[in-house]
Amino acid sequence: MAASSDLSPSNEYSADHPESGSGVDGRGRVRLRRAAVMAVPATLTVAALAVLTAQGALGVQFAISGMPFTVTATELNGTGFEQFGALDNMAEDSPNAGDTGGQVLVVTSAIKNATLTKLCQSVDLGGTNLVITAGSGSDKVQATDLTTDSTELSGDASFNKIEIGNDASTLDKAAVRGPKGVFSQQADTVRIANLRQTNYATTAGVFKLPGLKLRFSDSGC
């Protein structure tokens, strides 16, 4: 993993050149003992998350539909940031499983408190897109205990007091912990401009969406 030469917790860590970028059966038993996930943590090309073992905690506690959705925002600001690799599972015999076995390797990002400007979320339903927008006015979207499970992330990111290489089971910035033995990172604060994600799941304790609009459209976010 390439990173700047000085990554002490007191330094700001930033990047502005984004790069695109545990197993459990139906009864909850581990099927994949070793999996490798190269993921761009919060849109950075200078760091990659590797899941060396995949056992235990998942990013979400529900069966995902297996339909990816796009999320964009002109700016995200958060306090209490964590990130680690995980595995999401579809419902048994899901028609969206394809050749995945009903499992999707993801990067879980957790933020204790987040604000987002001009949020857009869209899902391709086949022939049309369901689009949700919010936070385009003076009031921003607000979320607490926000987690996203992503396969792609891009944007211009900066972190304050970042820690890279933590064991995911020891994270303490956003009250979310990953599997023991999994590579992770965390920071006191995060800012991402021009955020774009491909997600399979999102959860939040509280999600406030001022100016919410839902519509069908020929194009997504």
Side-chain angles (χ1 to χ4, degrees):
M1 179 182 70
S4 72
S5 59
D6 186 359
L7 292 179
S8 62
S10 62
N11 291 325
E12 182 181 86
Y13 183 40
S14 65
D16 55 8
H17 298 288
E19 178 180 315
S20 61
S22 219
V24 183
D25 64 16
R27 295 167 297 177
R29 294 183 180 178
V30 174
R31 283 186 0 196
L32 285 176
R33 288 295 181 181
R34 299 186 65 85
V37 180
M38 296 308 295
V40 181
T43 73
L44 304 178
T45 62
V46 294
L49 292 180
V51 181
L52 300 180
T53 60
Q55 302 178 17
L58 302 182
V60 294
Q61 298 301 319
F62 55 82
I64 63 171
S65 69
M67 297 178 66
F69 55 96
T70 299
V71 174
T72 65
T74 57
E75 184 177 26
L76 177 150
N77 286 280
T79 58
F81 170 81
E82 300 173 355
Q83 199 166 61
F84 55 90
L87 183 72
D88 284 350
N89 292 270
M90 301 176 203
E92 188 173 358
D93 298 323
S94 170
N96 300 320
D99 59 0
T100 67
Q103 300 174 322
V104 180
L105 289 167
V106 296
V107 174
T108 295
S109 302
I111 303 176
K112 186 63 178 175
N113 296 286
T115 61
L116 300 99
T117 304
K118 295 183 178 179
L119 175 70
C120 180
Q121 176 179 300
S122 65
V123 57
D124 186 348
L125 300 177
T128 189
N129 294 271
L130 177 62
V131 179
I132 297 173
T133 57
S136 297
S138 57
D139 294 330
K140 299 178 181 180
V141 171
Q142 298 181 42
T144 62
D145 298 321
L146 175 68
T147 68
T148 58
D149 285 8
S150 311
T151 54
E152 293 186 27
L153 301 158
S154 65
D156 306 320
S158 62
F159 303 89
N160 285 322
K161 295 186 178 179
I162 192 168
E163 302 170 1
I164 298 174
N166 309 61
D167 188 292
S169 68
T170 67
L171 297 175
D172 59 9
K173 299 294 185 180
V176 176
R177 293 184 177 180
K180 185 176 292 186
V182 170
F183 190 96
S184 69
Q185 68 174 13
Q186 64 178 1
D188 281 359
T189 66
V190 58
R191 177 185 179 274
I192 306 176
N194 304 314
L195 171 67
R196 187 176 188 87
Q197 297 176 302
T198 299
N199 292 345
Y200 277 84
T202 296
T203 66
V206 175
F207 213 1
K208 297 182 179 180
L209 300 166
L212 172 67
K213 294 181 179 180
L214 184 152
R215 68 187 189 278
F216 292 101
S217 173
D218 292 338
S219 58
C221 298

